């Protein structure tokens, strides 16, 4: 990932980088990919009807992770309170998706991999949200 390099090269960024936010950006994009792939793998399973909730949560999580990663990558101007809200929503989506994937992880490796990715992203979002001071 190039998040650190891109943010460091931004003309309106000065001072030390927010490493928690950069890690979060990377985890968000990784999680979005894992969730998308897991949903597709679930669709390929013979028991696809029993995996509807897992697929739904995978797709919801992928969408919010991608949006949060894009949102957090923007450095022109400020919108800290909305960024914190996005990070909190992403943390929640990752937690729910991980919970569901963990239910299937013993029998489906793709769900085990996805649950791990979701847990990493959940932790990264929590850490990043705590590293930002909202300005009103």
């Amino acid at each position: 990932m190039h998040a650190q390099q891109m943010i460091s090269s931004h003309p309106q960024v000065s001072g030390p980088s927010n490493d928690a936010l950069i890690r979060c950006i990377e985890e968000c994009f990784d999680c979005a990919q894992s969730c998308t792939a897991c949903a597709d793998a679930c669709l390929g399973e013979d028991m696809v009807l029993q995996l509807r909730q897992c697929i739904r949560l995978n797709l919801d999580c992928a969408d919010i992770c991608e949006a949060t990663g894009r949102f957090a990558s923007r450095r022109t101007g400020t919108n800290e309170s909305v960024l914190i809200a996005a990070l909190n929503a992403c943390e929640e989506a990752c937690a729910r998706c991980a919970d569901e994937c963990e239910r299937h992880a013993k029998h489906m490796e793709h769900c085990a991999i996805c649950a791990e990715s979701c847990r990493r992203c959940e932790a990264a979002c929590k850490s990043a949200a705590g590293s930002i001071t909202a300005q009103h």
Side-chain angles (χ1 to χ4, degrees):
M1 290 273 185
H2 293 92
Q4 174 71 49
Q5 292 170 294
M6 290 302 295
I7 289 172
S8 294
S9 69
H10 194 289
Q12 294 188 6
V13 172
S14 61
S17 63
N18 181 335
D19 292 335
L21 186 61
I22 289 168
R23 180 174 159 257
C24 182
I25 292 166
E26 293 174 347
E27 292 293 349
C28 281
F29 288 127
D30 182 65
C31 191
Q33 187 279 327
S34 295
C35 288
T36 299
C38 189
D40 188 64
C42 285
L43 287 169
E45 295 286 352
D46 290 336
M47 57 182 285
V48 71
L49 290 177
Q50 290 82 8
L51 295 171
R52 278 193 271 195
Q53 182 65 4
C54 192
I55 294 164
R56 168 60 189 260
L57 293 175
N58 282 155
L59 295 175
D60 288 351
C61 191
D63 287 346
I64 197 160
C65 284
E66 187 177 328
T68 302
R70 285 193 327 265
F71 191 78
S73 295
R74 297 181 189 130
R75 300 291 85 206
T76 302
T78 58
N79 202 358
E80 286 90 354
S81 61
V82 175
L83 176 57
I84 291 168
L87 291 167
N88 291 335
C90 191
E91 178 186 349
E92 178 68 19
C94 287
R96 296 296 65 80
C97 189
D99 288 347
E100 183 65 24
C101 280
E102 286 166 351
R103 292 181 56 232
H104 310 289
K106 265 189 184 174
H107 307 304
M108 293 172 222
E109 185 179 4
H110 55 86
C111 283
I113 294 165
C114 187
E116 273 183 46
S117 182
C118 287
R119 292 294 182 206
R120 282 192 314 271
C121 191
E122 175 188 9
C125 286
K126 182 175 187 163
S127 178
S131 74
I132 298 167
T133 303
Q135 298 175 4
H136 298 284

